[in-house]
Amino acid sequence: MDGDPKAALGEELARRITDAVDSAFDEQIAFLQELVRRPSVRGQEHLAQDLMFQAMNERGYEMDRWKVDPKDIEHHPGFSPVAVDYAHAWNVVGTHRPRNETGRSLVLNGHVDVVPTGPLDMWTDPPFAAAIKGDWMYGRGAGDMKAGVVANLFAMDALRRAGLQPAATVHMETVCEEESTGNGALATLVRGYKADAALISEPSGGKMTRATMGVQWFQVKVRGHPVHVAQAGTGSNAIQAAMDLVPALKAVEGKWNARKADTKHYDVHAHPVNMNVGKIAGGDWASSVPAWCTMDCRISIFPGFKPEEMQRDIEDAVRKASAGHPFLSNNPPEVVWNGFFTEGYDLEPGSDAETVLTRCHERVTGRKPVDYIATAYIDSRVFVLYADMPCMVYGPICEDAHGFDERVNIPSIREATKAIALFIADWCGVENYEG
């Protein structure tokens, strides 16, 4: 069954593979429900990684599971600052080894960490119930991106069910920290996992991701002067002082959006750079003028620019706004960089990997994929910027990621899994499976 790994799959072989996806699709959706039901928010990633390790180990892959240690990656230019405990920041890699390495190697990557749910009473169903209604599965992480993680696993299963296996090494990575630093995917690279190409099954809606933004997280910490509320005018309200800095931060957002014409892909976007005050905490007592306030913020940056340039703009904006403030001029705030500190990237068109994925998508859907220009972060920057690997980002349809009633479209999972299975076979070549 060995063949030319650079040749497109024949119709009969492709049909065997896609039929194999169909034959196990109910099992795939049940497995996805189990994965969604594991609330793998930051600090609890092991709840999902235990299941993924077990599933890949049962399939006989060469297994590697380790806890990400910032000391192992802090020297790397792609490292983001760590401000939390990494006690459960686990990565899992399952590696397929062929009998004969005649094809091109591949990384299949996906993240298992999910963002917080927000108030539970604002969800229609409990966020980790993995409820299915019609063509949709609901739940935090169902779309972003556990459906893609499971699609990678079951795409490899489909080849075996069709009596085949990749004729090249395939590393299946399930990583942590995608939603906060990108350090999980970076740790796999530093550990030595590389290949001729990578595919991340993020929910692209069947589109071809052409560019992504860099992201920075930062905190602005303000200290006030507490007094009894009865003499509020004699104190300094840290919460109010912090809010007085927001217009200066939004001005940085405006400055960068004005530069979109200098980019390859973002000039058509109305507002690609977004500065978000995502969390604010401060004060201790309703009848005391608050003595402290911390704002957690996020801002994005165009590909081709270094995060240090945005860092300077943010720190300058806070410093200048504070200089003209009646209280902050003598009590300057502190800016702390506490998470994402990443570059964006542009994926140059025309790679062999893109050509292969395009024809696999067309074979399954009957239509050409369109480009998707992301205004958010994706771990693909790790492979493109630091390993010179073409990285395709391709997966199912997701709605309301990070919002209430996040959901993934089940028919699109089937399509994406078929396309990924064909891509693995087409890119890596195939040999007979004798397991």
Side-chain angles (χ1 to χ4, degrees), residues 160-303:
R160 288 184 173 185
R161 197 170 290 107
L164 307 167
Q165 65 179 16
T169 297
V170 178
H171 302 299
M172 279 192 292
E173 304 176 349
T174 57
V175 302
C176 61
E177 284 289 289
E178 193 272 351
E179 298 286 8
S180 46
T181 61
N183 286 340
L186 183 67
T188 66
L189 184 65
V190 172
R191 199 169 177 88
Y193 291 104
K194 299 179 183 178
D196 295 317
L199 184 145
I200 300 179
S201 47
E202 283 273 14
S204 71
K207 298 177 182 178
M208 192 76 69
T209 303
R210 182 62 61 201
T212 70
M213 302 285 273
V215 170
Q216 284 84 54
W217 276 10
F218 62 97
Q219 292 179 323
V220 180
K221 295 187 174 184
V222 175
R223 297 291 181 262
H225 179 68
V227 296
H228 192 287
V229 72
Q231 288 85 40
T234 66
S236 296
N237 188 314
I239 295 175
Q240 184 59 58
M243 296 306 296
D244 290 343
L245 297 173
V246 172
L249 297 174
K250 296 296 286 186
V252 175
E253 173 191 85
K255 169 188 172 181
W256 277 86
N257 276 313
R259 303 176 69 176
K260 65 182 181 179
D262 299 329
T263 69
K264 290 183 179 180
H265 301 293
Y266 289 93
D267 57 319
V268 297
H269 276 265
H271 200 273
V273 175
N274 292 288
M275 202 295 296
N276 182 57
V277 180
K279 178 182 175 182
I280 186 166
D284 302 293
W285 191 251
S287 291
S288 297
V289 171
W292 65 279
C293 180
T294 299
M295 294 191 301
D296 284 77
C297 306
R298 173 265 195 202
I299 195 165
S300 50
I301 185 172
F302 293 121

Side-chain angles (χ1 to χ4, degrees), residues 79-108:
F79 175 72
S80 292
V82 175
V84 299
D85 184 7
Y86 267 25
H88 294 298
W90 292 94
N91 276 352
V92 172
V93 177
T95 297
H96 158 79
R97 303 286 185 189
R99 290 191 310 280
N100 299 295
E101 191 87 33
T102 59
R104 296 173 289 194
S105 58
L106 180 64
V107 165
L108 295 172

Side-chain angles (χ1 to χ4, degrees), residues 25 105 118 146 154 212 302 328 364 391 396 414:
F25 193 65
S105 58
K146 291 181 177 179
F154 277 77
T212 70
F302 293 121
L328 295 178
V364 171
C391 183
R414 188 191 298 265

Side-chain angles (χ1 to χ4, degrees), residues 5 31 51 55 117 129 184 198 212 226 240 248 252 276 280 323 336 342 346 376 393 422 426 432:
F31 185 92
L51 180 62
T117 62
T212 70
Q240 184 59 58
V252 175
N276 182 57
I280 186 166
V336 177
T342 66
D346 297 301
V393 179
L422 292 178
D426 200 337
N432 289 325

Side-chain angles (χ1 to χ4, degrees), residues 399-423:
E399 294 183 353
D400 288 332
H402 294 210
F404 300 120
D405 295 342
E406 177 183 339
R407 55 198 171 274
V408 63
N409 179 264
I410 294 173
S412 77
I413 299 174
R414 188 191 298 265
E415 282 192 348
T417 306
K418 289 180 178 181
I420 293 169
L422 292 178
F423 175 76

Side-chain angles (χ1 to χ4, degrees), residues 349-368:
S351 70
D352 287 349
E354 182 177 336
T355 299
V356 172
L357 182 57
T358 295
R359 69 175 171 237
C360 293
H361 171 83
E362 288 186 76
R363 183 169 243 157
V364 171
T365 68
R367 58 186 183 273
K368 289 184 177 294

Side-chain angles (χ1 to χ4, degrees), residues 31 51-65 92-98 106 108 149-161 164-174 193 421 424 431 433 435:
F31 185 92
L51 180 62
M52 294 309 302
F53 181 91
Q54 177 185 354
M56 287 190 270
N57 191 48
E58 288 175 349
R59 287 159 169 80
Y61 295 117
E62 177 187 302
M63 297 306 302
D64 187 12
R65 173 170 51 184
V92 172
V93 177
T95 297
H96 158 79
R97 303 286 185 189
L106 180 64
L108 295 172
V149 167
V150 175
N152 289 343
L153 180 69
F154 277 77
M156 289 286 286
D157 284 356
L159 267 64
R160 288 184 173 185
R161 197 170 290 107
L164 307 167
Q165 65 179 16
T169 297
V170 178
H171 302 299
M172 279 192 292
E173 304 176 349
T174 57
Y193 291 104
I424 297 167
E431 60 187 18
Y433 174 62

